[in-house]
């Protein structure tokens, strides 16, 4: 680590051309939904095949020919002391799965294939464990830049998805300063300048995949206990995105990707301000981000969080207002009976099953506030039986069990067994902790 730290100094980042079609390791492009809109795991002999190739395709703007001989030694990410030990002690027995280890006969490609399968099934804690196991094994060369960064991103992302954000924040500090010159290489723009008979200028290019850089900004701010560090980091890479957009040699595909990244960073800045508790600054920042329907919904939700119901009403009554504004406003004003009727009307007209699950849960919460516990319980249980359980739904149903029965412990245990029998979708974390069930 000392060898890298001595090279750290600030620099500008540039990127290169986009690849044709890529997916990150947390995406599964070969996962067809069944007729009911859920995913079902099948044996590898049937439909799903895992090759491990996604771990070289994390960043859509990374070049295809990124060499392993960049002179960048990433051995500081392969040390055992970087990674914390993981446990399933706080996971109910019915939801526990055995950690996957390595055998002496396994190759790197087979390990990556196993990791892809765990991600596709939603075993994020197990995937985090296996990622660190591969990183600290002898299977990886310290110059295998793409795979090391991809595995490190998978480790941090899976820790966060499984509720271990603090551990992820501590481990993210191993990257140190991502704006240092160590993380840059010179990229020469493709093709000569025939008019002036000279080569195109070279641009410093960051070797860390963009998703890892964005994730590390937030996690390092948590790890170092400095929220302002996160805001500053987002603005820094946001300036880089703006510089990339203005480059004259970019293709339209490249420029489109950078614009999407810049828009995403704007929302992340607002989220960081909300986490800091600075709702006024979050409101001002959100006002500058655009005026499409999605941004209007975000503005309205933030205004409701702040308590500015009158301004939220103005947004909902204006053009582009969505149908969920009305029941949300009713809930904000404490009119839960009206909200139940409005959620019910939306439920009957909702064309999307994902929207239906969210609407049903919100309606159940309103039923709970009006004292109709049995109806709230039945609504939430029907979602679980339909294989649509998610974190907040399970927590709310566990709360209902505590309010409506003296045997809530047995009901929660039954809920654990029911959730354990659900088909794996890869969309939710299967390694749920006792806290999700309020056990």
């Amino acid at each position: 680590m000392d060898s890298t730290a001595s090279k750290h100094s600030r620099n500008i980042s540039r990127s290169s051309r986009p690849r044709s079609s890529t997916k990150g390791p947390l995406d599964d492009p070969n996962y067809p939904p069944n007729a009911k809109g859920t995913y079902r795991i099948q044996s590898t002999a049937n439909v799903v095949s895992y090759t491990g190739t996604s771990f070289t395709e994390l960043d859509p703007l990374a070049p295809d020919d990124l060499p392993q001989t960049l002179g960048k030694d990433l051995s500081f990410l392969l040390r055992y002391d970087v990674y914390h030990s993981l446990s399933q002690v706080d996971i109910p027995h019915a939801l526990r799965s055995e950690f996957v280890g390595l055998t002496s006969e396994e190759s790197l490609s087979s390990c990556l294939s196993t990791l892809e399968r765990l991600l596709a099934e939603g075993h994020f804690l197990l995937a985090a464990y296996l990622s660190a196991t591969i990183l600290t094994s002898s299977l990886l060369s310290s110059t295998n830049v793409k795979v090391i960064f991809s595995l490190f991103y998978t480790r941090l992302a899976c820790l966060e998805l499984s509720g271990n954000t603090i551990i992820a924040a501590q481990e993210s500090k191993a990257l140190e300063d991502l704006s240092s010159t160590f993380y840059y290489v010179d990229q020469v723009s493709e093709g000569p300048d025939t008019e002036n008979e000279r080569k195109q200028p070279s641009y410093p290019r960051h070797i860390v995949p963009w998703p890892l850089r964005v994730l590390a900004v937030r996690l390092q701010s948590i790890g170092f206990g400095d929220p302002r560090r996160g805001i500053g980091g987002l603005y820094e890479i946001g300036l880089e995105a703006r510089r990339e957009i203005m480059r004259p040699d970019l293709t339209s595909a490249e420029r489109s990707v950078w614009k999407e990244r810049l828009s995403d960073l704007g929302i992340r800045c607002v989220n960081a301000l909300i986490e800091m508790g600075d709702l006024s600054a979050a409101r001002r920042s959100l006002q500058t981000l655009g005026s499409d329907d999605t941004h209007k919904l975000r503005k309205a939700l933030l205004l409701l969080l702040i308590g500015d119901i009158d301004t939220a009403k103005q947004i909902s009554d204006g053009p582009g207002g969505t149908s969920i504004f009305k029941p949300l406003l009713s809930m904000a004003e404490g009119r839960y009976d009206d909200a139940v009727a409005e959620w019910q009307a939306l439920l009957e007209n909702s064309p999307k099953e994902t929207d239906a699950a969210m609407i049903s849960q919100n309606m159940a919460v309103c039923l709970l506030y009006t004292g109709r516990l049995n109806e709230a319980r039945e609504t939430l249980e029907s979602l679980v039986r339909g294989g649509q359980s998610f974190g907040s739904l399970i927590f709310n149903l566990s709360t209902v069990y505590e309010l409506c029965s003296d045997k809530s412990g047995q009901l929660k245990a039954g809920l654990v067994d029911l959730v354990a029998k659900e088909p794996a979708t890869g969309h939710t974390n299967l390694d749920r902790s006792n806290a999700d069930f309020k056990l």
Side-chain angles (χ1 to χ4, degrees):
M1 200 61 179
D2 294 335
S3 61
T4 63
S6 62
K7 302 177 183 179
H8 282 196
S9 62
R10 290 204 167 296
N11 205 334
I12 300 174
S13 166
R14 298 288 177 181
S15 188
S16 58
R17 62 184 177 81
R19 250 195 327 271
S20 55
S21 176
T22 63
K23 291 286 186 181
L26 294 182
D27 299 315
D28 182 15
N30 302 316
Y31 232 60
N34 61 23
K36 294 184 179 181
T38 59
Y39 294 91
R40 190 174 302 277
I41 295 293
Q42 301 186 30
S43 65
T44 55
N46 294 331
V47 176
V48 181
S49 62
Y50 305 102
T51 62
T53 56
S54 64
F55 291 94
T56 60
E57 302 174 346
L58 178 58
D59 190 342
L61 287 183
D64 291 314
D65 55 350
L66 183 65
Q68 295 188 17
T69 57
L70 289 172
K72 306 295 184 181
D73 185 356
L74 302 184
S75 58
F76 59 92
L77 294 179
L78 307 181
R79 301 199 318 259
Y80 284 96
D81 58 313
V82 170
Y83 305 101
H84 295 65
S85 60
L86 302 180
S87 171
Q88 300 189 58
V89 173
D90 62 342
I91 296 178
H93 285 279
L95 296 179
R96 294 181 187 179
S97 300
E98 188 174 348
F99 283 127
V100 179
L102 303 183
T103 62
S104 57
E105 296 82 13
E106 284 193 275
S107 63
L108 177 59
S109 60
S110 65
C111 293
L112 295 180
S113 300
T114 302
L115 184 54
E116 274 187 340
R117 176 179 60 80
L118 293 175
L119 292 169
E121 294 173 355
H123 284 294
F124 299 133
L125 185 65
L126 273 61
Y129 177 89
L130 182 57
S131 297
T133 302
I134 298 174
L135 283 168
T136 55
S137 71
S138 60
L139 297 174
L140 272 178
S141 166
S142 62
T143 59
N144 195 343
V145 174
K146 279 190 174 182
V147 175
I148 290 175
F149 280 137
S150 189
L151 286 172
F152 193 71
Y153 167 76
T154 303
R155 167 75 176 189
L156 298 183
C158 287
L159 285 174
E160 191 170 29
L161 289 170
S162 60
N164 295 284
T165 302
I166 300 302
I167 295 179
Q170 293 299 320
E171 294 182 0
S172 69
K173 293 192 290 186
L175 292 168
E176 293 195 1
D177 185 6
L178 285 173
S179 63
S180 70
T181 54
F182 172 80
Y183 288 113
Y184 289 87
V185 293
D186 287 334
Q187 169 74 26
V188 178
S189 182
E190 293 184 1
D193 187 341
T194 55
E195 185 175 340
N196 298 316
E197 295 184 353
R198 62 183 181 184
K199 290 184 178 180
Q200 296 285 349
S202 62
Y203 298 97
R205 176 173 55 91
H206 211 288
I207 63 174
V208 178
W210 182 264
L212 176 55
R213 296 176 65 189
V214 175
L215 180 61
V217 166
R218 177 174 183 269
L219 291 179
Q220 287 188 344
S221 70
I222 297 174
F224 288 105
D226 185 6
R228 292 173 297 179
R229 180 191 180 104
I231 298 292
L234 290 173
Y235 270 88
E236 185 174 334
I237 61 177
L239 289 173
E240 175 186 327
R242 288 190 179 277
R243 288 193 296 265
E244 292 293 330
I245 291 172
M246 296 173 64
R247 272 178 54 180
D249 60 331
L250 289 185
T251 65
S252 58
E254 287 178 302
R255 189 164 283 108
S256 176
V257 171
W258 281 112
K259 287 181 178 179
E260 291 176 3
R261 288 178 171 181
L262 185 60
S263 177
D264 174 67
L265 290 176
I267 295 299
R268 290 178 184 272
C269 283
V270 175
N271 290 338
L273 290 168
I274 293 174
E275 289 183 344
M276 290 172 59
D278 195 344
L279 299 182
S280 297
R283 178 180 180 179
R284 292 193 299 270
S285 297
L286 194 55
Q287 291 288 348
T288 66
L289 295 183
S291 58
D292 58 22
D293 293 350
T294 302
H295 282 93
K296 286 183 178 180
L297 177 58
R298 287 168 173 158
K299 291 176 184 177
L301 292 174
L302 179 57
L303 290 167
L304 292 177
L305 178 64
I306 294 173
D308 191 350
I309 297 178
D310 292 336
T311 307
K313 282 183 178 180
Q314 294 176 7
I315 294 178
S316 63
D317 293 338
T322 64
S323 55
I324 69 169
F325 277 139
K326 190 174 181 181
L328 286 175
L329 287 170
S330 296
M331 294 178 68
E333 294 177 332
R335 297 183 287 106
Y336 294 108
D337 285 316
D338 294 340
V340 169
E342 291 159 358
W343 286 124
Q344 182 63 47
L346 279 179
L347 190 60
E348 295 172 355
N349 299 323
S350 176
K352 299 179 181 179
E353 189 171 349
T354 53
D355 290 344
M358 180 271 295
I359 291 171
S360 295
Q361 184 195 217
N362 288 344
M363 184 178 68
V365 172
C366 293
L367 289 169
L368 175 62
Y369 279 117
T370 58
R372 297 151 69 178
L373 294 179
N374 290 333
E375 294 180 53
R377 173 179 173 176
E378 176 56 34
T379 300
L380 295 175
E381 286 180 338
S382 65
L383 291 173
V384 177
R385 289 194 296 268
Q388 301 185 66
S389 65
F390 44 91
S392 58
L393 186 153
I394 291 174
F395 187 87
N396 288 333
L397 182 54
S398 299
T399 302
V400 171
Y401 285 156
E402 291 178 345
L403 295 173
C404 69
S405 175
D406 293 333
K407 300 180 180 180
S408 61
Q410 298 178 12
L411 293 173
K412 293 175 187 178
L415 178 60
V416 171
D417 293 335
L418 189 60
V419 170
K421 297 176 183 177
E422 289 184 359
T425 67
H427 292 180
T428 58
N429 178 34
L430 295 185
D431 308 316
R432 302 183 186 277
S433 66
N434 288 321
D436 291 348
F437 300 89
K438 304 186 73 172
L439 290 172

